[in-house]
Coordinates of all heavy atoms in Angstrom, one line a residue:
K412 N -43.5 -65.1 -96.2 CA -43.9 -64.3 -97.4 C -42.8 -63.6 -98.0 O -42.7 -63.4 -99.2 CB -45.0 -63.3 -97.0 CG -46.3 -63.9 -96.5 CD -47.2 -64.3 -97.6 CE -48.5 -64.9 -97.0 NZ -49.3 -65.4 -98.1
S413 N -41.8 -63.1 -97.2 CA -40.8 -62.3 -97.8 C -39.4 -62.6 -97.3 O -38.6 -61.6 -97.1 CB -41.1 -60.8 -97.6 OG -41.2 -60.6 -96.2
I414 N -39.1 -63.8 -97.0 CA -37.8 -64.2 -96.6 C -36.8 -64.0 -97.8 O -37.1 -64.3 -98.9 CB -37.8 -65.7 -96.2 CG1 -38.7 -66.0 -95.1 CG2 -36.4 -66.2 -96.0 CD1 -38.1 -65.9 -93.7
S415 N -35.6 -63.5 -97.4 CA -34.6 -63.2 -98.4 C -33.2 -63.7 -98.0 O -33.0 -64.2 -96.9 CB -34.5 -61.7 -98.6 OG -33.9 -61.1 -97.5
M416 N -32.3 -63.6 -99.0 CA -30.9 -64.0 -98.7 C -30.4 -63.1 -97.6 O -29.4 -63.6 -96.8 CB -30.0 -63.7 -99.9 CG -30.3 -64.6 -101.1 SD -29.7 -66.3 -100.9 CE -28.0 -66.2 -101.5
A417 N -30.9 -61.9 -97.4 CA -30.4 -61.0 -96.3 C -30.7 -61.7 -94.9 O -29.9 -61.7 -94.0 CB -31.0 -59.6 -96.4
N418 N -31.9 -62.3 -94.8 CA -32.3 -63.0 -93.6 C -31.4 -64.2 -93.4 O -30.9 -64.4 -92.3 CB -33.7 -63.5 -93.7 CG -34.7 -62.4 -93.9 OD1 -35.6 -62.4 -94.7 ND2 -34.6 -61.3 -93.0
L419 N -31.1 -64.8 -94.5 CA -30.1 -66.0 -94.4 C -28.8 -65.5 -93.8 O -28.2 -66.2 -92.9 CB -29.9 -66.6 -95.8 CG -28.9 -67.7 -95.9 CD1 -29.2 -69.0 -95.1 CD2 -28.7 -68.1 -97.4
K420 N -28.3 -64.5 -94.4 CA -27.0 -64.0 -94.0 C -27.0 -63.6 -92.5 O -26.1 -63.9 -91.7 CB -26.5 -62.9 -94.9 CG -25.1 -62.4 -94.6 CD -24.5 -61.6 -95.7 CE -23.2 -61.0 -95.3 NZ -22.0 -61.5 -95.9
W421 N -28.0 -62.9 -92.1 CA -28.1 -62.5 -90.7 C -28.2 -63.7 -89.7 O -27.4 -63.8 -88.7 CB -29.3 -61.6 -90.5 CG -29.4 -61.1 -89.1 CD1 -28.8 -60.0 -88.5 CD2 -30.1 -61.7 -88.0 NE1 -29.1 -59.9 -87.2 CE2 -29.9 -60.9 -86.8 CE3 -31.0 -62.8 -87.9 CZ2 -30.5 -61.2 -85.6 CZ3 -31.6 -63.1 -86.7 CH2 -31.3 -62.3 -85.5
V422 N -29.0 -64.6 -90.1 CA -29.2 -65.8 -89.2 C -27.9 -66.6 -89.1 O -27.5 -67.0 -88.0 CB -30.3 -66.7 -89.8 CG1 -30.2 -68.1 -89.2 CG2 -31.7 -66.1 -89.5
L423 N -27.2 -66.7 -90.2 CA -25.9 -67.5 -90.1 C -24.8 -66.8 -89.4 O -24.1 -67.3 -88.6 CB -25.4 -67.8 -91.6 CG -26.3 -68.9 -92.3 CD1 -25.8 -69.1 -93.7 CD2 -26.3 -70.2 -91.5
E424 N -24.7 -65.4 -89.6 CA -23.7 -64.7 -88.8 C -24.0 -64.7 -87.3 O -23.2 -64.8 -86.5 CB -23.6 -63.2 -89.4 CG -22.9 -63.3 -90.7 CD -22.5 -61.9 -91.2 OE1 -23.0 -60.9 -90.7 OE2 -21.7 -61.8 -92.2
E425 N -25.3 -64.6 -87.1 CA -25.7 -64.6 -85.7 C -25.4 -66.0 -85.1 O -24.8 -66.0 -83.9 CB -27.3 -64.5 -85.7 CG -28.0 -63.6 -84.7 CD -27.4 -62.4 -84.1 OE1 -26.7 -61.6 -84.8 OE2 -27.6 -62.2 -82.9
F426 N -25.6 -67.0 -85.8 CA -25.3 -68.4 -85.3 C -23.8 -68.5 -85.1 O -23.4 -69.0 -84.0 CB -25.8 -69.4 -86.3 CG -25.2 -70.8 -86.0 CD1 -25.7 -71.5 -84.9 CD2 -24.1 -71.3 -86.7 CE1 -25.1 -72.7 -84.6 CE2 -23.5 -72.5 -86.3 CZ -24.0 -73.2 -85.3
F427 N -23.0 -68.2 -86.1 CA -21.6 -68.4 -85.9 C -21.0 -67.6 -84.8 O -20.1 -68.0 -84.1 CB -20.8 -68.1 -87.2 CG -21.1 -69.2 -88.3 CD1 -21.6 -68.8 -89.5 CD2 -20.7 -70.5 -88.0 CE1 -21.8 -69.8 -90.5 CE2 -21.0 -71.5 -89.0 CZ -21.5 -71.1 -90.2
T428 N -21.5 -66.3 -84.6 CA -21.0 -65.5 -83.5 C -21.3 -66.1 -82.2 O -20.5 -66.2 -81.3 CB -21.5 -64.1 -83.7 OG1 -21.1 -63.6 -85.0 CG2 -21.1 -63.2 -82.5
A429 N -22.5 -66.7 -82.0 CA -22.9 -67.3 -80.8 C -22.1 -68.6 -80.6 O -21.6 -68.8 -79.5 CB -24.4 -67.6 -80.8
Y430 N -21.9 -69.3 -81.7 CA -21.3 -70.6 -81.5 C -19.8 -70.6 -81.2 O -19.3 -71.3 -80.4 CB -21.5 -71.4 -82.8 CG -20.9 -72.8 -82.9 CD1 -21.3 -73.9 -82.1 CD2 -19.7 -73.0 -83.6 CE1 -20.7 -75.1 -82.1 CE2 -19.1 -74.2 -83.6 CZ -19.5 -75.3 -82.8 OH -18.9 -76.5 -82.9
F431 N -19.1 -69.6 -82.0 CA -17.7 -69.5 -81.7 C -17.4 -68.5 -80.6 O -16.2 -68.4 -80.2 CB -17.0 -69.2 -83.0 CG -16.9 -70.3 -84.0 CD1 -17.7 -70.3 -85.2 CD2 -16.1 -71.4 -83.8 CE1 -17.6 -71.3 -86.1 CE2 -16.0 -72.4 -84.7 CZ -16.8 -72.4 -85.8
G432 N -18.4 -67.8 -80.1 CA -18.1 -66.9 -79.0 C -17.3 -65.7 -79.4 O -16.8 -65.0 -78.6
T433 N -17.3 -65.3 -80.7 CA -16.6 -64.1 -81.2 C -17.3 -63.7 -82.5 O -17.9 -64.6 -83.2 CB -15.1 -64.4 -81.4 OG1 -14.5 -63.3 -81.9 CG2 -14.9 -65.6 -82.4
T434 N -17.2 -62.4 -82.9 CA -17.8 -62.0 -84.1 C -17.2 -62.7 -85.3 O -16.0 -62.7 -85.4 CB -17.7 -60.5 -84.3 OG1 -18.1 -59.9 -83.0 CG2 -18.5 -60.0 -85.4
V435 N -18.0 -63.3 -86.1 CA -17.5 -64.1 -87.3 C -18.1 -63.5 -88.6 O -19.3 -63.5 -88.7 CB -17.8 -65.6 -87.2 CG1 -17.3 -66.4 -88.3 CG2 -17.3 -66.2 -85.9
K436 N -17.3 -63.0 -89.5 CA -17.8 -62.6 -90.8 C -18.0 -63.8 -91.7 O -17.3 -64.8 -91.6 CB -16.8 -61.7 -91.4 CG -16.7 -60.3 -90.8 CD -15.8 -59.4 -91.6 CE -15.5 -58.1 -90.9 NZ -14.1 -57.6 -91.1
T437 N -19.0 -63.6 -92.6 CA -19.2 -64.7 -93.6 C -19.0 -64.2 -95.0 O -19.1 -63.0 -95.2 CB -20.6 -65.2 -93.5 OG1 -21.5 -64.2 -93.8 CG2 -21.0 -65.8 -92.1
R438 N -18.7 -65.1 -95.9 CA -18.5 -64.8 -97.3 C -19.4 -65.7 -98.1 O -19.4 -66.9 -97.9 CB -17.1 -64.9 -97.7 CG -16.8 -64.5 -99.2 CD -15.4 -64.5 -99.5 NE -14.9 -65.9 -99.7 CZ -13.6 -66.2 -100.1 NH1 -12.8 -65.2 -100.4 NH2 -13.2 -67.4 -100.2
F439 N -20.3 -65.2 -98.9 CA -21.1 -66.0 -99.8 C -20.5 -66.1 -101.2 O -20.3 -65.1 -101.8 CB -22.6 -65.3 -99.9 CG -23.4 -65.5 -98.6 CD1 -22.9 -65.3 -97.4 CD2 -24.7 -66.1 -98.8 CE1 -23.7 -65.5 -96.2 CE2 -25.5 -66.3 -97.7 CZ -25.0 -66.0 -96.4
R440 N -20.3 -67.3 -101.6 CA -19.8 -67.5 -103.0 C -20.9 -68.2 -103.8 O -21.5 -69.2 -103.4 CB -18.6 -68.5 -103.0 CG -17.3 -67.7 -102.7 CD -16.2 -68.7 -102.7 NE -16.3 -69.7 -101.6 CZ -16.6 -71.0 -101.8 NH1 -16.8 -71.5 -103.0 NH2 -16.7 -71.8 -100.8
A441 N -21.2 -67.6 -105.0 CA -22.2 -68.2 -105.9 C -21.9 -69.7 -106.2 O -20.7 -70.0 -106.4 CB -22.3 -67.4 -107.2
S442 N -22.9 -70.5 -106.1 CA -22.7 -71.9 -106.3 C -23.8 -72.6 -107.0 O -24.7 -71.8 -107.5 CB -22.4 -72.6 -104.9 OG -22.1 -73.9 -105.1
H443 N -23.9 -73.9 -107.0 CA -25.1 -74.5 -107.5 C -25.5 -75.7 -106.7 O -24.8 -76.6 -106.4 CB -24.9 -75.0 -108.9 CG -26.0 -75.9 -109.4 ND1 -27.2 -75.3 -109.9 CD2 -26.1 -77.2 -109.6 CE1 -28.0 -76.3 -110.2 NE2 -27.4 -77.4 -110.1
F444 N -26.8 -75.7 -106.3 CA -27.5 -76.9 -105.8 C -28.8 -77.0 -106.6 O -29.5 -76.0 -106.8 CB -27.8 -76.8 -104.3 CG -26.5 -76.6 -103.4 CD1 -26.1 -75.3 -103.0 CD2 -25.7 -77.7 -103.1 CE1 -25.0 -75.2 -102.2 CE2 -24.6 -77.5 -102.4 CZ -24.2 -76.3 -101.9
P445 N -29.2 -78.2 -106.9 CA -30.5 -78.3 -107.6 C -31.7 -77.8 -106.8 O -32.7 -77.4 -107.4 CB -30.6 -79.9 -107.9 CG -29.3 -80.4 -107.6 CD -28.6 -79.5 -106.6
F446 N -31.6 -77.8 -105.5 CA -32.8 -77.5 -104.7 C -32.8 -76.0 -104.2 O -33.7 -75.7 -103.5 CB -32.9 -78.5 -103.5 CG -31.5 -79.0 -103.0 CD1 -30.9 -78.3 -102.0 CD2 -30.9 -80.1 -103.6 CE1 -29.7 -78.8 -101.5 CE2 -29.7 -80.5 -103.1 CZ -29.1 -79.9 -102.1
T447 N -31.8 -75.2 -104.6 CA -31.9 -73.8 -104.3 C -31.6 -73.0 -105.5 O -30.8 -73.4 -106.4 CB -30.9 -73.5 -103.1 OG1 -29.6 -74.1 -103.4 CG2 -31.4 -73.9 -101.8
E448 N -32.2 -71.8 -105.5 CA -31.9 -70.9 -106.7 C -32.2 -69.5 -106.2 O -33.4 -69.2 -105.9 CB -32.7 -71.3 -107.9 CG -32.4 -70.4 -109.1 CD -31.0 -70.5 -109.6 OE1 -30.4 -71.5 -109.4 OE2 -30.5 -69.4 -110.0
P449 N -31.3 -68.5 -106.1 CA -29.8 -68.8 -106.3 C -29.2 -69.6 -105.1 O -29.8 -69.7 -104.1 CB -29.2 -67.4 -106.3 CG -30.2 -66.6 -105.5 CD -31.5 -67.1 -105.7
S450 N -28.0 -70.1 -105.3 CA -27.3 -71.0 -104.4 C -26.0 -70.3 -103.9 O -25.4 -69.6 -104.8 CB -27.0 -72.3 -104.9 OG -28.2 -73.0 -105.4
A451 N -25.6 -70.5 -102.7 CA -24.3 -70.0 -102.3 C -23.6 -70.9 -101.3 O -24.3 -71.6 -100.5 CB -24.6 -68.6 -101.5
E452 N -22.3 -71.0 -101.5 CA -21.5 -71.7 -100.5 C -21.1 -70.6 -99.5 O -20.8 -69.5 -99.9 CB -20.4 -72.5 -101.1 CG -20.8 -73.8 -101.5 CD -19.8 -74.6 -102.4 OE1 -19.2 -73.9 -103.3 OE2 -19.8 -75.8 -102.3
V453 N -21.1 -70.9 -98.2 CA -20.8 -69.9 -97.2 C -19.4 -70.3 -96.5 O -19.2 -71.4 -96.1 CB -21.9 -69.8 -96.2 CG1 -21.5 -68.8 -95.1 CG2 -23.2 -69.5 -96.8
D454 N -18.6 -69.2 -96.6 CA -17.3 -69.4 -95.9 C -17.3 -68.5 -94.6 O -18.0 -67.5 -94.5 CB -16.1 -68.9 -96.7 CG -16.1 -69.5 -98.1 OD1 -16.6 -70.7 -98.2 OD2 -15.5 -68.9 -99.1
I455 N -16.5 -69.0 -93.6 CA -16.4 -68.1 -92.4 C -14.9 -67.6 -92.3 O -14.0 -68.3 -92.8 CB -16.7 -68.8 -91.1 CG1 -16.0 -70.2 -91.0 CG2 -18.2 -69.1 -91.0 CD1 -16.3 -70.9 -89.7
Q456 N -14.8 -66.4 -91.7 CA -13.5 -65.8 -91.6 C -12.6 -66.6 -90.7 O -13.1 -67.0 -89.6 CB -13.8 -64.4 -91.0 CG -12.6 -63.5 -90.7 CD -13.0 -62.4 -89.8 OE1 -14.1 -62.4 -89.2 NE2 -12.1 -61.5 -89.6
C457 N -11.3 -66.7 -91.0 CA -10.4 -67.4 -90.1 C -9.0 -67.1 -90.4 O -8.7 -66.5 -91.5 CB -10.6 -68.9 -90.3 SG -10.0 -69.6 -91.8
S458 N -8.1 -67.5 -89.6 CA -6.6 -67.4 -89.9 C -6.0 -68.7 -89.4 O -6.6 -69.5 -88.7 CB -6.0 -66.3 -89.1 OG -6.0 -66.6 -87.7
W459 N -4.8 -69.0 -90.0 CA -4.1 -70.2 -89.6 C -2.9 -69.8 -88.8 O -2.1 -69.0 -89.2 CB -3.7 -71.0 -90.8 CG -4.8 -71.9 -91.3 CD1 -5.0 -73.2 -91.0 CD2 -5.8 -71.5 -92.3 NE1 -6.1 -73.6 -91.8 CE2 -6.6 -72.6 -92.6 CE3 -6.0 -70.3 -93.0 CZ2 -7.6 -72.6 -93.4 CZ3 -7.1 -70.3 -93.9 CH2 -7.9 -71.4 -94.1

Side-chain angles (χ1 to χ4, degrees):
K412 296 277 181 189
S413 58
I414 297 274
S415 72
M416 292 284 272
N418 299 131
L419 171 65
K420 186 162 169 109
W421 181 85
V422 163
L423 290 177
E424 286 190 346
E425 223 30 42
F426 167 75
F427 286 122
T428 298
Y430 176 74
F431 287 107
T433 177
T434 309
V435 180
K436 286 188 189 143
T437 61
R438 182 173 76 173
F439 281 53
R440 273 181 298 107
S442 182
H443 171 77
F444 298 100
F446 31 92
T447 44
E448 182 61 34
S450 302
E452 273 167 326
V453 178
D454 304 336
I455 53 175
Q456 176 198 10
C457 71
S458 69
W459 278 269

